Amino acid sequence: GESVGLHLPTLSVQEGDNSIINCAYSNSASDYFIWYKQESGKGPQFIIDIRSNMDKRQGQRVTVLLNKTVKHLSLQIAATQPGDSAVYFCAENRRGNAGNMLTFGGGTRLMVKP
Amino acid sequence: DTGVSQDPRHKITKRGQNVTFRCDPISEHNRLYWYRQTLGQGPEFLTYFQNEAQLEKSRLLSDRFSAERPKGSFSTLEIQRTEQGDSAMYLCASSLGQVSYNEQFFGPGTRLTVL
């Protein structure tokens, strides 16, 4: 299949370990954030979201942390599995953006070693 | 499969030709978005519709690009006089849009290659 991103930062982890993927955003007016997973040849797939009135949100095996002071977002994946291998993007929605158009970051490639 | 479909999945064309892509959103979703993604980059917003109304267009959407959603269901994106710089993945997404911050569901994309 085609490659989503050839020159992306890459995080390589051992199967079973925890993964942390980081994202910096620049617009302090952003008030909603989403993490997407994108596999080769596919569109982005929603993982988890968080609003700016929260610092942490947990899903199944995933946790998103938001630090508004330093405009930083992270995605933690517990017990990483080979199926987690993909490119991960953070996206932000800016307050007052009635259409909820998303601004995406540059992405991080996660490689899980068996 | 998110329920959003796009056609074709791949399109190869020669510079100067016109191309048209189609997106079928999830049926009850009233918002539809087009994004463009180049290799190594995240998707970039192009335009969005609420029902049949096109409410926002990015500066990326030159006058060679036009999008329609005539009946508030499927949408088409046409690129006229294609250029090599138009080569990219064109992604469509839809959301319910009745309340703030609805999840956007993405289709598989149409990969355009302009020779």
Side-chain angles (χ1 to χ4, degrees), chain A residues 45-67:
Chain A
Q45 175 188 356
F46 175 92
I47 302 173
I48 191 167
D49 59 1
I50 187 168
R51 299 190 185 188
S52 59
N53 61 353
M54 303 172 69
D55 297 322
K56 179 179 179 179
R57 189 157 188 235
Q58 288 184 289
Q60 186 176 15
R61 281 203 308 120
V62 294
T63 301
V64 56
L65 299 177
L66 175 62
N67 185 330

mmCIF file of all heavy atoms in Angstrom, chain A residues 45-67:
data_model
loop_
_atom_site.group_PDB
_atom_site.id
_atom_site.type_symbol
_atom_site.label_atom_id
_atom_site.label_comp_id
_atom_site.label_asym_id
_atom_site.label_seq_id
_atom_site.Cartn_x
_atom_site.Cartn_y
_atom_site.Cartn_z
ATOM 1 N N GLN A 45 -8.553 8.113 11.095
ATOM 2 C CA GLN A 45 -9.549 7.455 11.936
ATOM 3 C C GLN A 45 -9.524 8.095 13.319
ATOM 4 O O GLN A 45 -8.461 8.188 13.943
ATOM 5 C CB GLN A 45 -9.234 5.957 12.016
ATOM 6 C CG GLN A 45 -10.123 5.163 12.953
ATOM 7 C CD GLN A 45 -9.633 3.739 13.131
ATOM 8 O OE1 GLN A 45 -8.663 3.315 12.501
ATOM 9 N NE2 GLN A 45 -10.279 2.992 13.996
ATOM 10 N N PHE A 46 -10.669 8.537 13.803
ATOM 11 C CA PHE A 46 -10.787 9.159 15.116
ATOM 12 C C PHE A 46 -10.326 8.212 16.222
ATOM 13 O O PHE A 46 -10.672 7.028 16.243
ATOM 14 C CB PHE A 46 -12.246 9.550 15.340
ATOM 15 C CG PHE A 46 -12.562 10.097 16.707
ATOM 16 C CD1 PHE A 46 -12.517 11.445 16.946
ATOM 17 C CD2 PHE A 46 -12.923 9.243 17.745
ATOM 18 C CE1 PHE A 46 -12.826 11.964 18.193
ATOM 19 C CE2 PHE A 46 -13.235 9.747 18.998
ATOM 20 C CZ PHE A 46 -13.192 11.112 19.218
ATOM 21 N N ILE A 47 -9.507 8.752 17.151
ATOM 22 C CA ILE A 47 -9.095 7.954 18.300
ATOM 23 C C ILE A 47 -9.744 8.492 19.569
ATOM 24 O O ILE A 47 -10.431 7.782 20.285
ATOM 25 C CB ILE A 47 -7.565 7.971 18.477
ATOM 26 C CG1 ILE A 47 -6.871 7.441 17.232
ATOM 27 C CG2 ILE A 47 -7.155 7.152 19.698
ATOM 28 C CD1 ILE A 47 -5.366 7.599 17.305
ATOM 29 N N ILE A 48 -9.479 9.770 19.857
ATOM 30 C CA ILE A 48 -9.974 10.361 21.093
ATOM 31 C C ILE A 48 -9.942 11.867 20.944
ATOM 32 O O ILE A 48 -9.147 12.406 20.180
ATOM 33 C CB ILE A 48 -9.122 9.897 22.299
ATOM 34 C CG1 ILE A 48 -9.793 10.288 23.621
ATOM 35 C CG2 ILE A 48 -7.692 10.428 22.216
ATOM 36 C CD1 ILE A 48 -9.161 9.594 24.836
ATOM 37 N N ASP A 49 -10.824 12.543 21.668
ATOM 38 C CA ASP A 49 -10.839 14.005 21.627
ATOM 39 C C ASP A 49 -10.840 14.567 23.047
ATOM 40 O O ASP A 49 -11.050 13.844 24.026
ATOM 41 C CB ASP A 49 -12.047 14.526 20.837
ATOM 42 C CG ASP A 49 -13.400 14.082 21.413
ATOM 43 O OD1 ASP A 49 -13.427 13.377 22.441
ATOM 44 O OD2 ASP A 49 -14.429 14.433 20.817
ATOM 45 N N ILE A 50 -10.576 15.869 23.143
ATOM 46 C CA ILE A 50 -10.588 16.528 24.446
ATOM 47 C C ILE A 50 -10.932 17.998 24.241
ATOM 48 O O ILE A 50 -10.482 18.619 23.278
ATOM 49 C CB ILE A 50 -9.234 16.352 25.177
ATOM 50 C CG1 ILE A 50 -9.310 16.886 26.615
ATOM 51 C CG2 ILE A 50 -8.099 17.034 24.404
ATOM 52 C CD1 ILE A 50 -8.106 16.481 27.464
ATOM 53 N N ARG A 51 -11.714 18.547 25.151
ATOM 54 C CA ARG A 51 -12.029 19.976 25.102
ATOM 55 C C ARG A 51 -11.088 20.730 26.023
ATOM 56 O O ARG A 51 -10.517 20.168 26.946
ATOM 57 C CB ARG A 51 -13.484 20.205 25.492
ATOM 58 C CG ARG A 51 -14.449 19.518 24.554
ATOM 59 C CD ARG A 51 -15.871 19.923 24.791
ATOM 60 N NE ARG A 51 -16.768 19.148 23.945
ATOM 61 C CZ ARG A 51 -18.065 19.394 23.817
ATOM 62 N NH1 ARG A 51 -18.620 20.380 24.492
ATOM 63 N NH2 ARG A 51 -18.809 18.639 23.024
ATOM 64 N N SER A 52 -10.990 22.013 25.801
ATOM 65 C CA SER A 52 -9.987 22.798 26.521
ATOM 66 C C SER A 52 -10.317 22.983 27.991
ATOM 67 O O SER A 52 -9.467 23.450 28.758
ATOM 68 C CB SER A 52 -9.805 24.168 25.856
ATOM 69 O OG SER A 52 -11.030 24.876 25.851
ATOM 70 N N ASN A 53 -11.517 22.627 28.403
ATOM 71 C CA ASN A 53 -11.848 22.736 29.829
ATOM 72 C C ASN A 53 -11.447 21.479 30.611
ATOM 73 O O ASN A 53 -11.779 21.330 31.780
ATOM 74 C CB ASN A 53 -13.340 23.024 30.015
ATOM 75 C CG ASN A 53 -14.224 21.937 29.456
ATOM 76 O OD1 ASN A 53 -13.748 21.005 28.806
ATOM 77 N ND2 ASN A 53 -15.511 22.062 29.688
ATOM 78 N N MET A 54 -10.735 20.577 29.918
ATOM 79 C CA MET A 54 -10.264 19.349 30.542
ATOM 80 C C MET A 54 -8.744 19.268 30.397
ATOM 81 O O MET A 54 -8.161 19.846 29.475
ATOM 82 C CB MET A 54 -10.901 18.122 29.884
ATOM 83 C CG MET A 54 -12.416 18.127 29.921
ATOM 84 S SD MET A 54 -13.113 16.791 28.940
ATOM 85 C CE MET A 54 -12.634 15.382 29.926
ATOM 86 N N ASP A 55 -8.105 18.534 31.318
ATOM 87 C CA ASP A 55 -6.663 18.304 31.240
ATOM 88 C C ASP A 55 -6.340 16.887 30.780
ATOM 89 O O ASP A 55 -5.250 16.617 30.279
ATOM 90 C CB ASP A 55 -6.008 18.512 32.608
ATOM 91 C CG ASP A 55 -6.167 19.929 33.083
ATOM 92 O OD1 ASP A 55 -6.079 20.843 32.245
ATOM 93 O OD2 ASP A 55 -6.389 20.131 34.290
ATOM 94 N N LYS A 56 -7.287 15.993 30.972
ATOM 95 C CA LYS A 56 -7.011 14.575 30.708
ATOM 96 C C LYS A 56 -8.317 13.890 30.332
ATOM 97 O O LYS A 56 -9.387 14.201 30.864
ATOM 98 C CB LYS A 56 -6.433 13.933 31.977
ATOM 99 C CG LYS A 56 -6.119 12.456 31.877
ATOM 100 C CD LYS A 56 -5.526 11.960 33.209
ATOM 101 C CE LYS A 56 -5.212 10.484 33.166
ATOM 102 N NZ LYS A 56 -4.611 10.029 34.448
ATOM 103 N N ARG A 57 -8.175 12.971 29.401
ATOM 104 C CA ARG A 57 -9.339 12.164 29.029
ATOM 105 C C ARG A 57 -8.848 10.772 28.668
ATOM 106 O O ARG A 57 -7.832 10.625 27.977
ATOM 107 C CB ARG A 57 -10.083 12.784 27.848
ATOM 108 C CG ARG A 57 -11.410 12.122 27.550
ATOM 109 C CD ARG A 57 -12.347 13.031 26.795
ATOM 110 N NE ARG A 57 -13.668 12.403 26.721
ATOM 111 C CZ ARG A 57 -14.323 12.170 25.604
ATOM 112 N NH1 ARG A 57 -13.798 12.519 24.444
ATOM 113 N NH2 ARG A 57 -15.517 11.603 25.628
ATOM 114 N N GLN A 58 -9.579 9.761 29.149
ATOM 115 C CA GLN A 58 -9.145 8.389 28.909
ATOM 116 C C GLN A 58 -10.140 7.638 28.066
ATOM 117 O O GLN A 58 -11.356 7.810 28.172
ATOM 118 C CB GLN A 58 -8.950 7.665 30.256
ATOM 119 C CG GLN A 58 -7.735 8.136 31.020
ATOM 120 C CD GLN A 58 -7.503 7.342 32.285
ATOM 121 O OE1 GLN A 58 -8.255 7.470 33.239
ATOM 122 N NE2 GLN A 58 -6.467 6.528 32.294
ATOM 123 N N GLY A 59 -9.596 6.793 27.196
ATOM 124 C CA GLY A 59 -10.413 5.877 26.424
ATOM 125 C C GLY A 59 -9.898 4.475 26.662
ATOM 126 O O GLY A 59 -9.192 4.214 27.633
ATOM 127 N N GLN A 60 -10.231 3.614 25.740
ATOM 128 C CA GLN A 60 -9.741 2.235 25.869
ATOM 129 C C GLN A 60 -8.278 2.181 25.418
ATOM 130 O O GLN A 60 -7.971 2.425 24.261
ATOM 131 C CB GLN A 60 -10.577 1.305 24.993
ATOM 132 C CG GLN A 60 -10.252 -0.158 25.169
ATOM 133 C CD GLN A 60 -11.168 -1.045 24.353
ATOM 134 O OE1 GLN A 60 -11.855 -0.574 23.447
ATOM 135 N NE2 GLN A 60 -11.190 -2.318 24.665
ATOM 136 N N ARG A 61 -7.380 1.949 26.316
ATOM 137 C CA ARG A 61 -5.923 1.880 26.075
ATOM 138 C C ARG A 61 -5.291 3.214 25.678
ATOM 139 O O ARG A 61 -4.094 3.295 25.450
ATOM 140 C CB ARG A 61 -5.558 0.842 24.987
ATOM 141 C CG ARG A 61 -5.535 -0.580 25.429
ATOM 142 C CD ARG A 61 -4.666 -1.465 24.540
ATOM 143 N NE ARG A 61 -4.989 -1.340 23.131
ATOM 144 C CZ ARG A 61 -4.126 -0.945 22.205
ATOM 145 N NH1 ARG A 61 -2.883 -0.610 22.540
ATOM 146 N NH2 ARG A 61 -4.480 -0.887 20.941
ATOM 147 N N VAL A 62 -6.063 4.258 25.518
ATOM 148 C CA VAL A 62 -5.502 5.558 25.135
ATOM 149 C C VAL A 62 -5.883 6.635 26.146
ATOM 150 O O VAL A 62 -6.967 6.597 26.732
ATOM 151 C CB VAL A 62 -5.956 5.995 23.718
ATOM 152 C CG1 VAL A 62 -5.399 5.074 22.656
ATOM 153 C CG2 VAL A 62 -7.465 6.072 23.634
ATOM 154 N N THR A 63 -4.949 7.567 26.330
ATOM 155 C CA THR A 63 -5.166 8.710 27.205
ATOM 156 C C THR A 63 -4.649 9.944 26.489
ATOM 157 O O THR A 63 -3.558 9.903 25.912
ATOM 158 C CB THR A 63 -4.412 8.544 28.541
ATOM 159 O OG1 THR A 63 -4.871 7.358 29.183
ATOM 160 C CG2 THR A 63 -4.642 9.744 29.450
ATOM 161 N N VAL A 64 -5.396 11.027 26.533
ATOM 162 C CA VAL A 64 -4.933 12.287 25.967
ATOM 163 C C VAL A 64 -4.746 13.267 27.118
ATOM 164 O O VAL A 64 -5.585 13.366 28.009
ATOM 165 C CB VAL A 64 -5.900 12.834 24.890
ATOM 166 C CG1 VAL A 64 -7.312 12.989 25.416
ATOM 167 C CG2 VAL A 64 -5.390 14.158 24.333
ATOM 168 N N LEU A 65 -3.604 13.935 27.095
ATOM 169 C CA LEU A 65 -3.295 14.957 28.090
ATOM 170 C C LEU A 65 -3.168 16.305 27.389
ATOM 171 O O LEU A 65 -2.559 16.392 26.322
ATOM 172 C CB LEU A 65 -1.983 14.621 28.808
ATOM 173 C CG LEU A 65 -1.934 13.306 29.586
ATOM 174 C CD1 LEU A 65 -0.544 13.095 30.169
ATOM 175 C CD2 LEU A 65 -2.977 13.298 30.691
ATOM 176 N N LEU A 66 -3.730 17.324 28.000
ATOM 177 C CA LEU A 66 -3.699 18.665 27.430
ATOM 178 C C LEU A 66 -3.068 19.623 28.428
ATOM 179 O O LEU A 66 -3.535 19.735 29.565
ATOM 180 C CB LEU A 66 -5.107 19.133 27.081
ATOM 181 C CG LEU A 66 -5.267 20.569 26.568
ATOM 182 C CD1 LEU A 66 -4.510 20.772 25.266
ATOM 183 C CD2 LEU A 66 -6.744 20.916 26.406
ATOM 184 N N ASN A 67 -2.030 20.296 28.016
ATOM 185 C CA ASN A 67 -1.381 21.312 28.842
ATOM 186 C C ASN A 67 -1.508 22.642 28.120
ATOM 187 O O ASN A 67 -0.746 22.947 27.198
ATOM 188 C CB ASN A 67 0.097 20.961 29.071
ATOM 189 C CG ASN A 67 0.773 21.925 30.022
ATOM 190 O OD1 ASN A 67 0.421 23.101 30.106
ATOM 191 N ND2 ASN A 67 1.755 21.434 30.751
#
